[in-house]
Amino acid sequence: ETGVTQTPRHLVMGMTNKKSLKCEQHLGHNAMYWYKQSAKKPLELMFVYSLEERVENNSVPSRFSPECPNSSHLFLHLHTLQPEDSALYLCASSQDRRSGGYTFGSGTRLTVV
Amino acid sequence: AQSVTQLDSQVPVFEEAPVELRCNYSSSVSVYLFWYVQYPNQGLQLLLKYLSGSTLVKGINGFEAEFNKSQTSFHLRKPSVHISDTAEYFCAVCNQAGTALIFGKGTTLSVSS
């Protein structure tokens, strides 16, 4: 247990479904991140939240919608996904955006069928 | 913008042999550098980080890395590896202004007996 908890660990969804990924941290960190990890590709930064405000959105398709209701929780809402969106989605948190010492969750393995 | 190049995608070694995983970065500004490890079906775990000061950084599990500004490198080393070191290793960079971590493609370290 790293201090960052992601649920569910595995998710299989159809292209017409709507689902949400959840990330929770109780480390007192002020920044949270969503990364996408696909096979044979570098980790791709998707979204950055600092003090509950979205500060980076790296050209992510609108079928991915993040939500940060408070400093401890981060969601990734999914709808009408494509098979190429199948990947490991990793959440991370850090004390602030400058520290770089991220704590990662174990990830959600998403399969779109 | 920053970028990271991990020069080897796979490094096979025998147990108790030394290992070096190479990482080069590109940035026009001062950076922070990191190495993370990912075991199967898990998230990323911080091995070590360079923020400032001594260029030789020691991390967990007997790993160390040396920051070389002139060669823009941050290679990871371990004098004697164990089977349990088999994992994916990621080099990462962020600038001191506080942008999020940018990761390399990763190096798979395979330790056999």
Side-chain angles (χ1 to χ4, degrees), chain B residues 16-89:
Chain B
E16 298 183 9
V19 70
E20 179 180 81
L21 306 184
R22 297 181 293 169
C23 172
N24 285 89
Y25 68 93
S26 172
S27 177
S28 58
V29 297
S30 296
V31 296
Y32 299 142
L33 294 156
F34 306 83
W35 276 99
Y36 283 82
V37 61
Q38 185 178 31
Y39 299 103
N41 300 314
Q42 295 187 29
L44 279 70
Q45 179 184 3
L46 181 65
L47 268 181
L48 48 79
K49 61 183 176 183
Y50 171 79
L51 303 181
S52 65
S54 173
T55 57
L56 183 62
V57 181
K58 294 189 183 297
I60 62 172
N61 301 340
F63 284 93
E64 64 180 32
E66 186 157 18
F67 170 58
N68 188 319
K69 188 174 182 179
S70 61
Q71 296 186 8
T72 61
S73 68
F74 190 56
H75 301 331
L76 181 71
R77 302 185 183 100
K78 186 170 183 177
S80 176
V81 295
H82 302 291
I83 299 285
S84 59
D85 292 323
T86 295
E88 189 86 9
Y89 291 80

Side-chain angles (χ1 to χ4, degrees), chain A residues 6 9 11-15 19 25-27 31 35 40 45 59 72 74 77 81 83 86-87 96 100:
Chain A
Q6 288 187 245
R9 289 295 305 273
L11 177 63
V12 179
M13 60 185 288
M15 289 188 284
K19 296 286 184 183
Q25 61 92 6
H26 294 289
L27 300 170
Y35 279 87
K40 310 297 183 185
L45 177 66
S59 303
S72 299
L74 184 65
H77 303 301
L81 294 191
S86 298
D96 54 54

Side-chain angles (χ1 to χ4, degrees), chain B residues 1-4 25-29 31 93 95 99 102:
Chain B
Q2 296 82 47
S3 66
V4 177
Y25 68 93
S26 172
S27 177
S28 58
V29 297
V31 296
V93 63
N95 68 33
T99 57
I102 303 300

